[in-house]
Amino acid sequence: MSEGTIAIAADHAGYALKEVLKEELEACGLDVIDLGTDSDASVDYPDFGRAVGEAVACGDAARGVIICGTGIGISIAANRIAGVRAALCHDATSARLAREHNDANVLALGARLLGPEVAHDCLRIFLDTAFPGGERHDRRVRKLG
Ligand code: RB5
């Protein structure tokens, strides 16, 4: 993905990784909407998952990236927004399949579980992999609502 707007947010546990990935996105020429948090002071992950989910659902961003300690809480929050398909990815394969099979529009990462290189690979592959569509995947993704 070489153009488009990406919304990104994290809680305190994901803040440092968010800053690194934000720089990578900007270096690729993508427009980034940073929805916080702005430090490692404790905050509540649902607020940040919801913010990115809403930005993607309303079309302000083409895709989203959300980060908390495990990626679990923030992905649950984002997935409560209609139209959001947030995928918690742990490696290049899960990031690729999240796009190819689920047409995921939000990448969720666990900063306490991943090293920076793995997080970088997840991000790059998530952005670069197209949803191929096709009758079977289209039907299943439609059923997600
Ligand atoms: C914060 O301590 C932690 O609970 C949060 O980052 C996340 O892992 C929740 O799912």
Side-chain angles (χ1 to χ4, degrees), residues 46-58:
D47 299 334
F48 298 90
R50 185 180 313 113
V52 167
E54 287 174 350
V56 170
C58 79

Side-chain angles (χ1 to χ4, degrees), residues 16 45 86 110:
Y45 59 80

Side-chain angles (χ1 to χ4, degrees), residues 17-69:
L17 180 59
K18 171 175 73 72
E19 294 302 296
V20 171
L21 297 185
K22 185 170 81 168
E23 269 186 33
E24 287 191 27
L25 292 167
E26 288 169 344
C28 291
L30 292 159
D31 292 326
V32 179
I33 304 174
D34 184 348
L35 295 168
T37 187
D38 301 323
S39 76
D40 57 12
S42 183
V43 291
D44 297 336
Y45 59 80
D47 299 334
F48 298 90
R50 185 180 313 113
V52 167
E54 287 174 350
V56 170
C58 79
D60 285 352
R63 298 215 197 138
V65 179
I66 50 179
I67 311 162
C68 68

Side-chain angles (χ1 to χ4, degrees), residues 51-118:
V52 167
E54 287 174 350
V56 170
C58 79
D60 285 352
R63 298 215 197 138
V65 179
I66 50 179
I67 311 162
C68 68
T70 59
I72 296 171
I74 204 162
S75 60
I76 292 171
N79 275 320
R80 298 183 77 84
I81 309 296
V84 169
R85 293 178 299 281
L88 175 54
C89 296
H90 298 290
D91 51 31
T93 306
S94 51
R96 177 176 59 79
L97 291 172
R99 291 289 308 132
E100 289 181 348
H101 286 199
N102 313 115
D103 195 17
N105 51 14
V106 174
L107 171 68
L109 299 172
R112 291 177 176 158
L113 307 180
L114 303 181
E117 285 296 316
V118 174

